[in-house]
Amino acid sequence: MAQAEDVEEILLIKSQQSIPVTTGDSGVLLDNEGVDFYSAGGIAKLPVINGMNGDRVKVLIDGSEITSACANHMNPPLSYMDASRVESIKVIRGITPVSEGGDSIGGTISLKSQSPVYSDSDELLTEGTIGAFYRSNGKHHGEFLNTTISNENLSLNYSGSLDRSATYRDGDGDKVLDTLYRSESHAITLGARGLDQELIIKLTHQEVPYQGFPNQYMDMVGNKSNGVIVNYLRDFSWMKLDALVSWNDVEHEMGFFTHEKTGTMPMETDGRDVGYVIKAEFPLNEQYTLRVGNEYHHFKLDDWWPAVPGSMMMGPDTYVNINNGERDRYALWTESEYRINARWTALAGIRYEHVITDTDDVQPYNTMPMIMMAPNLDAAAAVAFNAGNHKQVDDNFDITLMLRYEPSAEESIEFGYARKNRSPNLYERYSWGESTMAVSMIGWYGDGNGYVGNIDLDPETAHTLSAAYTRRAADDSWEITINPYYTYVDDFIDAQQIGTFHPRMVMSVTRPKLQFTNIDAEFYGLDLQGSRQLWNSSTWGSGLMKGQMAYTRGKRRDGPEDLYHIMPLNVKIALEQAIGQWTNTLELEWADEKDQVDQIRLENDTAKYTLLNAFTEYRWNSTTVNFGVRNLLDESYDLPLGGVSIAQWRDEGMAGQFESLAGPGRSVELGVRYQF
């Protein structure tokens, strides 16, 4: 309804135009959809919506949930969907209907791969797409294949991709160390349909043998995952049923693999997601639709760090960080959509979630005193952790109410309120180590700091008010949308300083040791989007100007004011020309200086910057060619949400403080796609 339906419609239209694929990173497809990203690995960036980051944004892959199984969140959900597999994207910002999932307060991103395609006759249908791309910066290149064979009732699809990149360079021509990666993905989709029902089975396999993380102390040296999704759809005359069962297993390992950031310290993680979603929709009459649902999601996590042979500090035992960790969510929800009259539509929903987290006892590398008879912080922390009660139970209630008013065909006003909850993840609650080595291994912020968990964390409760005003011309020659929002979060999970540590035992550098804690916080901002047709002629084709501006403010209600990684004011303006088989785009990106920074995390300021990009697309029969230049003027700039470059700090002799992570310099890109 309302805001959710409008966003979905826009993005589905975009997907039908065959999104150009010049990277395997599916996050790139969200760059112009109100989604920002924490920098991380090449395909592992963490989404941010309206200042809300990480787990606060629900990410659904083909309707299923995948939990990041890593102390640094190196394998977030978006990393499991290669860009070449994406058929459609839906982004819901601010107020997420209860039918779109719980356990999130920032918004929802839903990516879907290709649905089964069936023949419309008794003859076999065979079709597919093959393509490749190349980006000069980092010698980033990849290939992909998507092929289908089907008849009227059965469909079989295979999709595969290979994506790899070397280290990229900044606008000054210097290497941004440890930004290389390689990823390989495979998926098989089976579909069977009848007159009013369909069964879809999707099998996935992914291997990432290595991926550099410049703003973390560790890198990824292995990530293997296998997944199964079974989706049954049935359209009764009086009800629509959507039942989905999913399973995903991942084996993850952190360590070091490149001379750009060397070391020895294995860290292994096994994660497993199992769940189901049952949705039923009842169109009671032309004005009223009722939806109900039941969901269950189980996440199991084991995180252990094998002993390093010959090391007194990291041995002789295995360090057990999370032992048989479990996070179970049971959900019930109901949602009603009511068309009051020709101008007014209402959507209201309520959702209840019962969340249980637990873990078994843990152990340090050893219980011996450290160097110079210093206390063994991890030995003491393990004793205290094991003596406590680990099981936590949360009862969460989500409420949403949205209204849409359409005074005319050219005008619409949307506004709503939501009360949403998110329970802590397993790392926020159960990371227990307090030594320099242990704390520096926890955290997905890219800030160079250390983190300790907190069993007693309360769930976050967000109260959001959001509105949107859209006005368009009767001839569709222009359109503008204004979207202000405000969110107050009770028990927002942030951090408080409990000490300091010296990274890699470098005594001249001190970083804060932080513990997850609950605070009260608020977020507010304004998004503007608009488009205007500039010309339409037989000589010059059609010209369209598009623009968007986003401003977000996030702050604590007490203590140091600014929250971490809030994107500064930013603007994007694009001029598009469509003429014959050509589509040409000139794009300007501008971001203001970032000087409202988190003092607790020692967040760096970043300067303002302007980027110019140019793209062209040519379509001829079944072939599409994309050519472009990103950062055309080779601007040197720092990423506002990039965190710090630990790889660079280490390469420069581990002297001085951490510098901000630099963005990529000029890159020429070429993509070719052939449909057969």
Side-chain angles (χ1 to χ4, degrees), residues 217 222 300 507 636:
Y217 290 100
K300 184 179 183 300
M507 304 309 292
S636 179

Side-chain angles (χ1 to χ4, degrees), residues 44-100:
K45 298 187 292 291
L46 302 177
V48 182
I49 295 179
N50 294 348
M52 303 282 188
N53 62 81
D55 291 351
R56 298 182 180 95
V57 177
K58 173 72 67 179
V59 178
L60 299 174
I61 304 297
D62 282 324
S64 68
E65 294 186 35
I66 301 177
T67 309
S68 183
C70 173
N72 296 158
H73 280 26
M74 290 184 176
N75 45 20
L78 283 176
S79 67
Y80 291 98
M81 176 75 85
D82 186 86
S84 65
R85 289 181 54 212
V86 177
E87 180 184 65
S88 65
I89 306 169
K90 178 164 64 175
V91 178
I92 304 175
R93 290 176 288 171
I95 297 179
T96 300
V98 298
S99 58
E100 298 287 346

Side-chain angles (χ1 to χ4, degrees), residues 496-548:
Q496 64 179 352
Q497 186 167 349
I498 59 173
T500 60
F501 72 101
H502 303 292
R504 295 187 63 82
M505 299 300 181
V506 178
M507 304 309 292
S508 61
V509 179
T510 301
R511 302 297 294 188
K513 180 192 296 186
L514 305 169
Q515 184 174 36
F516 295 111
T517 189
N518 292 116
I519 65 168
D520 292 337
E522 62 181 350
F523 299 81
Y524 54 87
L526 179 69
D527 292 332
L528 295 176
Q529 294 186 7
S531 63
R532 171 82 184 192
Q533 187 177 56
L534 300 181
W535 70 83
N536 191 359
S537 69
S538 57
T539 303
W540 298 101
S542 62
L544 180 69
M545 178 76 76
K546 298 194 299 183
Q548 60 185 59

